[in-house]
Amino acid sequence: MKRNFDHEILLLQGGGALGSYHAGVYEGLAEAGMMPTWVVGISIGAINAAIIAGNPPERRVERLREFWYRVSAYAPLTLPSELDPLRPILDRVSVLSVMLCGVPGFFSTRVPSPLVVPAASPDLVSFYDTSPLESTLEELVDFDLLNSGKMRLSLGAVNVRTGESKYFDTQNTRITPKHVMASGALPPAFSAVEIDGEDYWDGGLVSNTPITYVWDQKPLTTALLVQVNLFPSKGEKPTDMVQVLERMKDIQYSSKQRFTTERLREIGELRASIGRLLARMPAHLRDDPDVMRIAKQYDDREWTIAFLTDTHQSNVGQWKDAEFSRTTVDERWAVGVEAIHRSLANREWTTPSAEIPGVRVYNLPSGTRREGATSANGNGNEVGKPKPPSRSFQRSHRRRASRAASSRVH
């Protein structure tokens, strides 16, 4: 990302199979030379974040592609557009396969099922075993590089015992595969991961929106935050039970995104107001305890927060985060790339504002037909409805993926 920000931060929500959208967004950013200095992730966002932070810039997209190639290997065929009428059926078969057999390089079905075992150790109380993910991470991530400090990495989890959010941060923790797995240990599918004597589950159980962790970090004077959301907070009124269940999941895992954004904007404006007030404060009042207490809340941070939201339409409703077929993975990846291409048509969000300190918020084009773009002045108004990526764009993306796959040495 552009060097005229003090910090350039990429925030990745959790969302299982939807995470290939993250990879497409990162590829689009990398193509534009917008490299983050800090990546924050939850669940599948933690896996993608670890792959980004644990590889040199020239290998990051390749390694992301390798991960998503592996997890989609159970349904490796890329379907031609002529078979689109069959996609709803094929995608449901894909989900059924995942539920029965697991996902290569990610998780496998636990036998015997915890439902037939009266009592078990905490690491066995789940329907799936994630030990394949540990092997995949060890192969695709250079943990020495990840912990070198060249890029900051933060991974969100929740303490099972206390219910409190916990972020594992390379500034104070040496990250291992276990930390990444803890961030994505969503029960009851996956068991808790023990770290330093405490058990941890998926951070999305508390909040799937990692921006609140970043907000509390200081000093951050000028910062560009790009948060990639996998569940849209907005949606149409459901008309059947499948849509009801999907919409319910979207609302649940968009996790207070709208509330958080508005609160951050309000706090930013309040802090700016405190600064102006302090500048006009008479000298004899500046040592007043109440004034000094208020002054601690002021900083001159100038933040730009840009939201990208995956609104790619799914054929499997609430199970969309478990649909790892190659065709769907490639489509979401392509939508992520296209979202960045469209967002960069107006680059105002990529440069700091010369105005007073505060928070600017942009809702960038999603890359699909369901949501509009946000106006360039960051006021959150929708001004248009972008078209989905063209067939030619998706075919081009698939050809690149296929070439990358054929060049691998197994």
Side-chain angles (χ1 to χ4, degrees), residues 95-405:
V95 171
L96 182 61
S97 173
V98 168
M99 295 177 67
L100 294 177
C101 304
V103 171
F106 195 162
F107 58 88
S108 58
T109 306
R110 190 178 295 283
V111 179
S113 168
L115 295 177
V116 300
V117 178
S121 61
D123 61 334
L124 298 177
V125 184
S126 65
F127 292 111
Y128 301 98
D129 174 14
T130 55
S131 57
L133 175 60
E134 185 170 12
S135 299
T136 296
L137 290 170
E138 289 173 344
E139 182 176 344
L140 297 183
V141 178
D142 181 342
F143 282 91
D144 289 332
L145 175 62
L146 182 151
N147 288 289
S148 69
K150 292 184 178 180
M151 174 184 287
R152 185 174 177 181
L153 175 68
S154 306
L155 309 176
V158 58
N159 186 301
V160 175
R161 181 179 57 84
T162 67
E164 295 179 354
S165 178
K166 169 70 175 180
Y167 274 83
F168 304 111
D169 195 312
T170 51
Q171 285 205 331
N172 50 43
T173 303
R174 180 171 179 80
I175 302 297
T176 69
K178 291 294 187 183
H179 294 89
V180 183
M181 295 166 67
S183 181
L186 182 65
F190 307 143
S191 59
V193 176
E194 182 179 343
I195 297 174
D196 297 331
E198 293 281 2
D199 290 332
Y200 291 94
W201 275 335
D202 190 308
L205 291 173
V206 173
S207 175
N208 205 30
T209 303
I211 195 171
T212 51
Y213 174 73
V214 176
W215 181 263
D216 293 331
Q217 305 300 302
K218 293 183 179 182
L220 292 176
T221 305
T222 63
L224 171 62
L225 292 79
V226 178
Q227 177 160 306
V228 187
N229 302 319
L230 300 182
F231 296 93
S233 58
K234 292 183 178 180
E236 298 177 358
K237 181 178 179 180
T239 58
D240 57 39
M241 188 54 67
V242 172
Q243 294 177 10
V244 166
L245 294 173
E246 179 180 8
R247 186 71 195 119
M248 183 178 70
K249 178 173 279 190
D250 285 344
I251 293 172
Q252 178 183 2
Y253 285 106
S254 62
S255 279
K256 314 176 192 69
Q257 175 189 323
R258 184 174 302 280
F259 171 79
T260 299
T261 304
E262 291 305 315
R263 289 292 296 149
L264 295 182
R265 196 198 323 245
E266 290 173 4
I267 294 172
E269 293 172 353
L270 179 60
R271 283 175 166 166
S273 297
I274 291 174
R276 293 191 296 271
L277 180 62
L278 292 173
R280 298 196 298 268
M281 186 72 65
H284 69 279
L285 292 177
R286 292 178 183 172
D287 293 332
D288 182 272
D290 288 332
V291 173
M292 295 175 66
R293 187 176 297 111
I294 294 172
K296 290 180 180 179
Q297 302 303 315
Y298 169 71
D299 59 41
D300 58 351
R301 70 176 66 188
E302 179 194 315
W303 281 20
T304 297
I305 304 174
F307 290 102
L308 278 164
T309 301
D310 176 17
T311 55
H312 180 271
Q313 293 190 9
S314 169
N315 293 313
V316 293
Q318 67 164 330
W319 304 108
K320 60 187 178 181
D321 51 349
E323 210 283 270
F324 286 86
S325 69
R326 182 71 49 78
T327 297
T328 302
V329 162
D330 285 350
E331 285 178 352
R332 287 193 185 279
W333 186 309
V335 169
V337 174
E338 180 69 4
I340 290 297
H341 290 172
R342 289 174 174 167
S343 298
L344 292 176
N346 187 318
R347 288 178 171 262
E348 180 180 325
W349 62 277
T350 67
T351 57
S353 169
E355 302 172 0
I356 61 174
V359 177
R360 297 184 300 165
V361 177
Y362 293 83
N363 291 307
L364 303 177
S366 65
T368 60
R369 63 171 63 91
R370 281 175 53 185
E371 281 196 332
T374 290
S375 60
N377 62 8
N379 61 16
N381 295 328
E382 295 182 357
V383 295
K385 293 200 172 184
K387 298 177 181 179
S390 66
R391 286 287 182 186
S392 60
F393 178 85
Q394 293 188 34
R395 285 196 297 270
S396 174
H397 173 80
R398 289 173 180 171
R399 283 196 297 271
R400 282 189 294 171
S402 178
R403 287 197 297 269

